[in-house]
Amino acid sequence: MTAVHGDERLAARTQELLGPRHLVTAAAVVGPDGVTVASRGADLHADFEIGSISKGITGLLYVDALERGEITHDTRLGELLPLGDPPAAEVTLDALSRHRSGLPRLPGSAQPLRRTLALWRHGTNPYGEDLEQLLAQARSARVGRPRPRYSNLGFELLGHAVAGAAGTTYADLVHQRIARPLALDTLYVPATADQLSSNAVTGTNRHGRPQQAWTGEAVGPAGGIRASIQDMARLLAALLDGSAPGSGALDATSRFGGGVHIGAAWITITVRGRSVTWHNGGTGGFRSWIGLDRAAGAGVVVLSATSTPVDRQGFGLLTEASQAREAG
């Protein structure tokens, strides 16, 4: 029998929604009874890859740096990173934060197809570059029209640029400005596999095969952060009450197509008549989802150590939490 930790009712409801493919899961709900956490198959201190929810944390750091006066919306990449004078150097941080930079999802020099095939066949980490390799990719990247276009490359560069403005590394910036102030002891950015904690969960693909951890200095700001469900619950609560540094990142500032709006990484849509601010994440062996109904004061995090999506279930849990919040 798989061990359950934390709140048994939440663990059971999460498993009911996720189904048998998700063997190692964790969830957190902020609702009328405060913060509730649960996990199945790993303890509450085990850390998961949160994937592109890392972009949401980079968005927080970006807005926090704006508030500190270290950068402006119009600060260009070339002012903070040693890029020389390629087109990418002229891209503004504001454009990066809203996925409107014109940069591709990944640069052609990164050989994305080859990486994807290696991931599918062998479960290998497709993101192992250091910062210098990232900068080399940026120098050769084509910059297109500044329209809404999701870009991992853009958020990698944004995070390292914000760290450069603060005179530190991205990993240290996350620790200094997010993890330490909010007492998030398990939230960290491993650059190599040997930096993984002893509580690091191993992810699997949807067929149950183990996958290499997605570590790398370059990928940190776009998808390289790890955290436990307890720390994600604390972060969620701080986002809801506005005490998280850079919480203004959640405020939608522009359209991102259709009924979708975006702030600094964070997406806002209307679900069943309610405004939901959210982000998801996916790596070779993990899926994650975080969402907030700010009007109701409710929020949900779902983490899974398998690559089967959890978005629908996250939205479902959030609807339940919002309704319970209002009924209470």
Side-chain angles (χ1 to χ4, degrees), residues 30-43:
V30 175
D33 299 320
V35 178
T36 305
V37 296
S39 65
R40 183 175 184 270
D43 66 39

Side-chain angles (χ1 to χ4, degrees), residues 77-98:
L77 276 178
E79 298 174 50
L80 300 173
L81 296 174
L83 291 171
D85 59 356
E90 296 301 312
V91 173
T92 67
L93 303 191
D94 174 68
L96 291 166
S97 74
R98 296 182 293 121

Side-chain angles (χ1 to χ4, degrees), residues 269-276 315-316 319-320 323:
I269 62 174
T270 300
V271 180
R272 298 181 182 178
R274 308 195 66 90
S275 179
V276 174
F315 279 111
T319 296
E320 294 173 11
Q323 292 172 343

Side-chain angles (χ1 to χ4, degrees), residues 154-220:
F155 259 82
E156 288 178 348
L157 293 168
L158 175 62
H160 290 294
V162 171
T168 188
T169 65
Y170 180 77
D172 284 346
L173 193 68
V174 169
H175 177 72
Q176 294 165 12
R177 297 190 177 177
I178 302 293
R180 189 165 61 193
L182 298 178
L184 310 181
D185 296 333
T186 65
L187 190 145
Y188 68 113
V189 193
T192 58
D194 61 11
Q195 292 181 6
L196 295 174
S197 80
S198 59
N199 289 322
V201 175
T202 297
T204 61
N205 66 12
R206 62 186 62 200
H207 302 294
R209 292 194 293 270
Q211 305 289 289
Q212 284 187 356
W214 282 23
T215 60
E217 181 186 19
V219 75

